[in-house]
Amino acid sequence: MIDLKRISKWVNVGGKPNFILKDINLQINEGEFVSIMGPSGSGKSSLLNIIGMLDDASEGEYYFLSQAVHTLKEKQRSQLYKQYIGFVFQAYHLIDELTVYENIETPLIYQNIKGSERQAMVADILDRFQIVGKKDLFPTQLSGGQQQLVGIARALIGKPKLLLADEPTGNLNSRQGEEIMDLFKQLNNEGVTIIQVTHSEKNAGYGSRIINLLDGRIDNN
Amino acid sequence: MKTYIKIALRNLRKYPVFSLINLGGLSVGIAASFILLVYSERELSTDSGFRDADRIARIGTDFFNMGGFAASQPMLRDVLQFACKDIASATTFDKAYEDIPVRLSTDERAYTGIHPYYVDTAFFKVFSYSTAAGAIPAKGLAPGEVVLSESNARRFFNHQDPIGKTLLIGKENTPCKVIAVLKENFERSHLDAQLLLPMTTARLAGYPTVWPSSSVYNYIKLKPAGSLAGVKTTLDRLLKKVVPASESYMNIKFIIQPLRDIYFHSDLKMELTPGGNLTQVKLLSAIGLFLILLAIINYVNLVTARSSTRNKEIGVKKTFGASRRQLAGQIIMESLFFSLLAMLLSIGLIRVIGLLYHFATGASLTGALPLMIKHYGWLLLFSLAVGLLAGLYPAFYLTALKPILSLRPYTNKPGNTNLKIRNILVLVQFSIAAALVFASFVVHSQLQYINGKDKGLRTEGVLLIDNLNGLHNPEAFRRLVEQQSQVVSTSFCNRAPAGKSIAMATFRTAAMKENMTLQIFPVDDEYLTTMGIRLSGGRNFDRRLITDTNALILNESAVAALGLFNPIGTTLNGSQRIIGVVKDFNYMSFREKIAPTILRYTPGGNTLAVRIRGGHTAAFIEWLQTAGKKFMPEEPLAVSFLDDNFRQLAAKDKLLGDAVSFFTVLAIILSMLGLTGLTLFTIERRTREIGIRKVLGATIPDILTLVSKDFVRLTFLASGIALPLSWWLVHRWLENFAYRVSISVWIFFFTESVLLLIALSVIGVLTLKAAMVNPVRSLRTE
């Protein structure tokens, strides 16, 4: 599903390239549950952003479902990730001005899905995550765990093949964290490919594979 | 205090774009509204410069129900002076209707465009002019003496001392000694005395002394205890005594006008100078206030827009124990400091805006106003008031947060709670912009309408020479002019459209019991051709027909007013035969309806009207002056253009049109600045949201719609609020015109589109920038 070839990312600091990622070669198959680990500043989030097509690599080739992402234009890329990728963030990144329902609905609006269909889809997922009762609340009225639940629901509403999660439990307590990881495991079992960035060995244990990053390189595989 | 200013200065330097927008907007607002307010103050204080102005009044007259004249009878002065105990002094003076040539020596060419005042000895007792040089003797001007205005003194003598110098005045080159120069003050007056000569006994005796006449201006000054009511009683009593009952049909009346009412409220004929327009002054001062309001809102928006950066500073200070009052004080100090800076800038800007205004409109609103110290005092007070007003809301708003909240990065941004107030501010701004844009469109379409309207005559290409009464052989001069290939036709007349002279006469049909007073034009048989007036029935005058010496041509209004059904061939006043009817033609301002008017055959008038073909006008005038010299060596021909004269009539309206559109442009610029601030604020508040939406698949157009949607809604709301108000105001202004455009629906649409254009262009550019930022950056949590 994902094929990264010699991916590097650098920024210029005082005229010298400062490598964030160096020579990353990585294949991830459909149905895998991969955890990316590593100390702060090792490039985990940058790798995730590149995989999520939110950011460009400075060098290298990236094939997603056999499409050469590195040759695509911004618009085509956004078309691609809109369709296949869902994002979950550490800080949830819900829109404060919108209700739970509206937050979950937003991606569908940008995928030009009709109103009636949207209603059915949002109702489904609210039901599945057992947050129907919260649909008219605003994010600030929810606990962290509940907010993250909404965040995941929003990521899944478009039925993505790939779920990218950047420290999804980082702002949660351990019980809430466990619930989220159980949910991930369950989703993975249903066939969703998941890549998560995490600091926690325990969370990494939920996955089928662990990638260790150190100073922008893959340490062991 | 010191740290306040230090922080204010550092903030200025740290955010140069913000500061520049803010400072620029504030100083433009201060300067522009100051100009307008000073202009309005000057208009409103017209004639207040004279000492005891509220005790001065003018006595005009009316007879035959002609509508009233500013001038009245010369014998009135003595009557007033001696028979009325309320009056301290009464003065009679006259203003020369013609241009009087003034020379420094016989071999020099004359200065033109001067209309002297002939004043009696009491003139300076009523009007307390102060002098810039010389002194006015207590007994008034003696024959052979002259008083100048400051600008004329400069014109004649440059920087030399004019006192004691001699001027040669009039065709006779009468030598007159300059004894004083009148100071020109900030306060204007409806008296435009540029050159004052004594009213000699001989001159005074030359005026008609019958009661149905109006030839000189009579002004009185009351005793401190006197009242105008008392004057009126005396005049009414006198009237019965001096006018015999047999003359009561003349309906002689006196019109008493307090001095301060004359400029705005007098609608008498033979006014010394054109009157002011109160609606116009009110409109312009309202625009002035709007402009400063816009600037204040801008300041508030821009300061609160930057709140998230300031929040941290304020939060930290609060945790150190600074009280809310101290912090609010700091913010108000800052805005005061800011407004003072803006004031310093605006002193320069007042001149720049004045120049720009002159450049854009060719006129000057305030001219080289002799601004006084007190005006700078006002400017200072005004700026401080603006600063205080502008600082109040930010001070309240920025210090309202709990310190812990202002230090926390993403939670509960203050923008959410105060969004309403900010929206109201923008609504006010949009409403002001909408009202101004609408008003300027309407004013312009009215001016356009006036210009384009069929005047019933062809104004372009007509030259008027109106100082020909001294010409030795006018017919020979006319023949010479007519031989020029450029000349189409010429006409001698005693009255030109848009001219200063008035002629009226009474008429009656056989069926009428009473006379009717109508406007008359004493003209020759070439008048219709030269002016391009169209006959709608009958025929033109014919100089070969002796019977035509008693012939009349009526305009259509006169036909209607006299109730004639078959006018051609009818006689008026028993013997005057109507031979033709012309379409109504304008000869006054468009504010007035075309009056019933009669053209009377009168060959040999004082004014020569010349219709010429286009092109080489300057060369023709040059030829005309050279030719004129042979016929009238004493002074140059007084040449004017008919279309210019019409433009003069509409000068005040044009001034309003220019001023409204000029300041509307300024207001639009200010609104755009304000909108910039607000959009920056909105974007700052929504950066994260924009990022999230982009990750969720929003395209750039999606984001543009998202951010501008609210503003677009606001523009519609603003139009809804402002347009009816503006419509009402402009409608009232339009009601001054007898001929006016109807306000078309398109203007409403047009105004809304201008608003949308402003809003979308500003928001578009700024949001585009925000929308193009990679969401990875805006969502970074660390």
Side-chain angles (χ1 to χ4, degrees):
Chain A
M1 182 184 211
I2 290 168
D3 192 358
L4 298 179
K5 289 184 176 157
R6 301 181 59 86
I7 288 287
S8 292
K9 170 89 182 163
W10 65 79
V11 286
N12 282 318
V13 178
K16 274 191 198 158
N18 187 357
F19 279 92
I20 298 168
L21 295 172
K22 199 158 187 187
D23 266 345
I24 303 278
N25 290 298
L26 181 65
Q27 271 125 31
I28 295 169
N29 298 321
E30 224 169 322
E32 271 194 280
F33 186 168
V34 179
S35 303
I36 303 175
M37 294 193 70
S40 288
S42 59
K44 305 186 296 289
S45 294
S46 300
L47 182 58
L48 202 68
N49 286 337
I50 288 172
I51 294 173
M53 302 174 206
L54 298 179
D55 209 353
D56 289 326
S58 308
E59 203 177 68
E61 296 169 9
Y62 172 21
Y63 298 91
F64 181 80
L65 292 172
S66 322
Q67 288 206 57
V69 176
H70 54 276
T71 62
L72 293 181
K73 290 210 179 86
E74 170 93 30
K75 214 171 179 174
Q76 297 162 310
R77 239 187 286 171
S78 125
Q79 207 59 41
L80 200 61
Y81 75 70
K82 215 151 80 171
Q83 201 179 344
Y84 294 110
I85 305 177
F87 296 90
V88 175
F89 306 92
Q90 176 180 359
Y92 330 127
H93 287 329
L94 300 177
I95 299 172
D96 290 340
E97 288 82 1
L98 302 182
T99 62
V100 166
Y101 183 98
E102 289 161 345
N103 261 295
I104 296 175
E105 188 188 24
T106 307
L108 298 180
I109 295 174
Y110 295 128
Q111 289 173 28
N112 296 325
I113 290 172
K114 271 200 249 76
S116 52
E117 212 175 318
R118 284 207 304 264
Q119 236 175 337
M121 289 167 84
V122 178
D124 261 5
I125 209 140
L126 285 171
D127 203 24
R128 178 170 173 201
F129 281 56
Q130 291 165 9
I131 46 177
V132 180
K134 308 232 162 23
K135 74 178 166 60
D136 293 324
L137 296 180
F138 287 93
T140 42
Q141 295 168 295
L142 301 175
S143 73
Q146 287 167 334
Q147 287 194 44
Q148 192 58 295
L149 216 52
V150 176
I152 295 169
R154 184 179 64 179
L156 291 175
I157 188 77
K159 302 202 163 55
K161 284 185 176 326
L162 174 66
L163 190 66
L164 298 178
D166 194 350
E167 303 214 35
T169 62
N171 286 8
L172 303 178
N173 64 32
S174 57
R175 190 181 52 78
Q176 289 169 330
E178 258 170 53
E179 278 170 23
I180 296 295
M181 291 322 294
D182 285 336
L183 180 61
F184 273 19
K185 188 80 199 154
Q186 197 188 330
L187 289 171
N188 184 236
N189 289 340
E190 287 165 20
V192 180
T193 313
I194 297 177
I195 305 174
Q196 67 165 345
V197 163
T198 181
H199 275 301
S200 137
E201 293 278 355
K202 190 174 150 218
N203 287 349
Y206 282 84
S208 53
R209 176 149 69 119
I210 294 175
I211 296 164
N212 277 307
L213 275 186
L214 191 64
D215 298 336
R217 293 170 199 269
I218 293 177
D219 206 22
N220 73 318
N221 205 338
Chain B
M1 178 76 188
K2 217 171 145 194
T3 38
Y4 288 170
I5 291 176
K6 212 189 276 173
I7 288 185
L9 273 175
R10 282 185 189 161
N11 269 327
L12 263 182
R13 227 176 309 152
K14 198 163 157 197
Y15 306 97
V17 178
F18 254 126
S19 307
L20 220 64
I21 290 180
N22 211 348
L23 205 56
L26 206 56
S27 44
V28 168
I30 289 178
S33 62
F34 188 72
I35 288 177
L36 285 171
L37 294 180
V38 166
Y39 167 80
S40 307
E41 190 238 342
R42 185 161 188 257
E43 287 280 301
L44 290 173
S45 65
T46 299
D47 289 323
S48 69
F50 296 116
R51 203 180 310 128
D52 302 322
D54 47 348
R55 273 167 42 206
I56 304 175
R58 179 171 71 186
I59 316 289
T61 190
D62 186 27
F63 38 86
F64 295 123
N65 292 329
M66 288 170 85
F69 297 91
S72 48
Q73 304 82 356
M75 51 292 188
L76 199 56
R77 178 188 66 180
D78 294 340
V79 170
L80 291 165
Q81 184 77 75
F82 299 114
C84 187
K85 57 180 175 20
D86 288 279
I87 292 171
S89 36
T91 177
T92 288
F93 64 91
D94 191 12
K95 178 185 174 183
Y97 163 65
E98 333 81 70
D99 215 348
I100 302 290
V102 175
R103 292 183 171 75
L104 294 182
S105 67
T106 41
D107 49 344
E108 267 180 63
R109 251 182 107 76
Y111 290 97
T112 55
I114 297 157
H115 301 265
Y117 275 51
Y118 299 98
V119 302
D120 69 1
T121 50
F123 183 78
F124 292 104
K125 282 191 193 129
V126 175
F127 299 107
S128 61
Y129 281 98
S130 43
T131 53
I136 299 159
K139 57 182 194 335
L141 287 184
E145 290 179 339
V146 61
V147 171
L148 297 176
S149 68
E150 258 181 301
S151 45
N152 264 342
R154 253 195 312 276
R155 188 171 161 204
F156 299 149
F157 302 108
N158 243 325
H159 291 293
Q160 293 168 23
D161 180 18
I163 304 301
K165 295 255 174 24
T166 304
L167 288 175
L168 305 174
I169 295 171
K171 285 178 194 167
E172 304 80 18
N173 286 327
T174 318
C176 294
K177 201 171 85 182
V178 179
I179 59 160
V181 174
L182 299 182
K183 203 167 183 159
E184 276 164 5
N185 288 326
F186 170 76
E187 286 94 2
R188 53 193 310 293
S189 167
H190 82 287
L191 303 177
D192 59 341
Q194 296 289 305
L195 188 141
L196 297 91
L197 293 167
M199 168 79 88
T200 54
T201 332
R203 173 176 279 277
L204 193 60
Y207 293 108
T209 52
V210 293
W211 286 106
S213 74
S214 79
S215 43
V216 293
Y217 297 89
N218 284 301
Y219 284 71
I220 54 163
K221 187 173 207 171
L222 296 173
K223 285 180 181 154
S227 76
L228 288 179
V231 176
K232 187 169 173 10
T233 324
T234 316
L235 280 174
D236 288 345
R237 189 163 41 82
L238 279 169
L239 198 57
K240 285 198 198 104
K241 228 185 268 176
V242 295
V243 182
S246 60
E247 287 178 18
S248 64
Y249 70 93
M250 290 178 181
N251 237 324
I252 290 160
K253 268 179 269 179
F254 294 112
I255 301 159
I256 303 175
Q257 295 174 304
L259 177 68
R260 295 289 309 277
D261 285 359
I262 292 173
Y263 182 62
F264 284 117
H265 302 294
S266 172
D267 56 351
L268 301 183
K269 297 178 182 70
M270 296 175 70
E271 200 51 76
L272 285 162
T273 47
N277 183 332
L278 206 55
T279 323
Q280 175 170 325
V281 173
K282 281 181 188 160
L283 253 161
L284 287 179
S285 43
I287 294 178
L289 290 177
F290 282 161
L291 283 171
I292 198 62
L293 193 59
L294 282 178
I296 290 176
I297 292 178
N298 276 354
Y299 181 86
V300 172
N301 276 342
L302 283 165
V303 168
T304 46
R306 247 179 37 206
S307 62
S308 65
T309 40
R310 287 314 291 277
N311 272 340
K312 203 167 153 194
E313 175 197 331
I314 287 162
V316 170
K317 282 189 173 166
K318 271 195 171 178
T319 58
F320 294 159
S323 75
R324 185 165 176 196
R325 183 181 299 214
Q326 282 170 318
L327 291 170
Q330 179 196 340
I331 291 165
I332 288 178
M333 284 299 271
E334 228 177 86
S335 84
L336 286 179
F337 172 74
F338 219 84
S339 66
L340 285 182
L341 264 186
M343 184 202 80
L344 289 181
L345 271 178
S346 74
I347 292 176
L349 269 175
I350 288 172
R351 284 204 61 80
V352 173
I353 291 177
L355 285 175
L356 272 178
Y357 186 84
H358 185 79
F359 178 75
T361 67
S364 92
L365 199 53
T366 48
L369 269 189
L371 280 183
M372 293 179 286
I373 295 290
K374 76 165 184 192
H375 288 114
Y376 287 104
W378 286 354
L379 184 61
L380 181 68
L381 274 178
F382 184 60
S383 309
L384 286 177
V386 166
L388 189 66
L389 265 174
L392 276 179
Y393 176 66
F396 167 78
Y397 161 74
L398 286 175
T399 57
L401 271 184
K402 290 206 177 71
I404 188 65
L405 289 181
S406 48
L407 288 177
R408 205 182 282 169
Y410 282 126
T411 45
N412 206 7
K413 290 280 248 174
N416 302 344
T417 47
N418 284 290
L419 201 61
K420 265 207 191 98
I421 292 178
R422 193 157 300 99
N423 277 345
I424 290 171
L425 289 181
V426 183
L427 188 64
V428 171
Q429 280 200 316
F430 275 149
S431 303
I432 292 173
L436 287 180
V437 169
F438 181 77
S440 73
F441 276 140
V442 174
V443 170
H444 265 271
S445 55
Q446 170 67 14
L447 295 180
Q448 205 103 67
Y449 171 77
I450 289 177
N451 276 338
K453 187 182 176 293
D454 178 19
K455 294 184 176 63
L457 46 80
R458 280 167 41 226
T459 55
E460 62 292 332
V462 177
L463 284 168
L464 299 163
I465 310 162
D466 63 7
N467 57 344
L468 295 180
N469 38 355
L471 214 60
H472 305 303
N473 190 347
E475 206 43 53
F477 178 63
R478 174 197 197 150
R479 273 198 300 277
L480 182 66
V481 172
E482 271 188 336
Q483 280 163 11
Q484 297 305 304
S485 59
Q486 260 183 303
V487 175
V488 180
S489 66
T490 60
S491 162
F492 270 116
C493 57
N494 272 328
R495 185 175 182 183
K500 288 196 189 90
S501 66
I502 302 172
M504 295 171 103
T506 56
F507 295 93
R508 71 195 296 175
T509 60
M512 285 161 65
K513 282 201 200 78
E514 282 205 18
N515 282 330
M516 188 181 267
T517 306
L518 298 180
Q519 299 278 344
I520 59 162
F521 276 72
V523 300
D524 69 2
D525 55 341
E526 292 284 343
Y527 196 70
L528 298 190
T529 339
T530 308
M531 294 296 175
I533 298 170
R534 298 187 295 272
L535 272 171
S536 61
R539 61 174 178 86
N540 192 359
F541 300 120
D542 188 338
R543 71 178 80 179
R544 291 162 306 183
L545 296 176
I546 292 176
T547 48
D548 270 8
T549 46
N550 223 356
L552 303 174
I553 296 177
L554 274 61
N555 75 352
E556 289 172 347
S557 296
V559 173
L562 291 166
L564 299 169
F565 292 104
N566 254 325
I568 310 291
T570 318
T571 54
L572 296 180
N573 295 351
S575 63
Q576 295 172 310
R577 184 172 297 277
I578 300 170
I579 59 162
V581 175
V582 289
K583 295 239 181 251
D584 282 353
F585 58 95
N586 272 100
Y587 54 89
M588 287 189 280
S589 125
F590 278 83
R591 291 169 174 268
E592 288 151 79
K593 217 172 165 53
I594 297 174
T597 304
I598 293 181
L599 286 79
R600 194 154 70 183
Y601 184 55
T602 317
N606 291 333
T607 299
L608 183 65
V610 184
R611 174 169 290 282
I612 56 168
R613 287 185 192 92
H616 306 294
T617 314
F620 180 71
I621 290 177
E622 203 171 311
W623 173 85
L624 203 60
Q625 291 292 8
T626 331
K629 222 171 190 171
K630 285 181 208 127
F631 286 82
M632 201 169 57
E634 310 87 14
E635 57 175 318
L637 301 173
V639 178
S640 64
F641 289 90
L642 186 59
D643 45 2
D644 276 350
N645 294 349
F646 266 104
R647 247 171 258 139
Q648 288 276 312
L649 278 185
K652 273 252 152 75
D653 300 320
K654 184 178 178 298
L655 181 130
L656 179 74
D658 287 344
V660 168
S661 39
F662 182 80
F663 288 101
T664 300
V665 170
L666 272 190
I668 288 178
I669 292 173
L670 283 179
S671 313
M672 286 176 96
L673 283 182
L675 202 56
T676 308
L678 203 86
T679 313
L680 286 176
F681 171 81
T682 310
I683 289 169
E684 181 189 275
R685 197 171 53 81
R686 295 176 90 165
T687 320
R688 195 177 64 103
E689 183 189 337
I690 291 171
I692 299 170
R693 287 184 186 267
K694 279 193 82 177
V695 171
L696 297 180
T699 56
I700 289 174
D702 287 331
I703 305 269
L704 285 179
T705 323
L706 177 79
V707 176
S708 49
K709 203 170 56 193
D710 294 344
F711 287 110
V712 169
R713 209 176 295 140
L714 278 181
T715 66
F716 279 101
L717 196 56
S719 298
I721 295 170
L723 294 191
L725 270 172
S726 186
W727 177 85
W728 180 74
L729 259 177
V730 178
H731 186 74
R732 284 192 47 183
W733 176 76
L734 277 180
E735 276 177 345
N736 286 322
F737 292 88
Y739 301 94
R740 51 180 183 255
V741 283
S742 51
I743 299 175
S744 90
V745 185
W746 286 109
I747 300 186
F748 288 91
F749 285 118
F750 214 56
T751 307
E752 175 59 32
S753 353
V754 169
L755 275 194
L756 277 179
L757 196 74
I758 295 169
L760 292 181
S761 59
V762 170
I763 297 164
V765 170
L766 294 176
T767 312
L768 199 61
K769 233 178 101 189
M772 305 235 286
V773 169
N774 192 327
V776 172
R777 273 222 238 142
S778 46
L779 293 182
R780 200 170 281 160
T781 23
E782 59 262 37

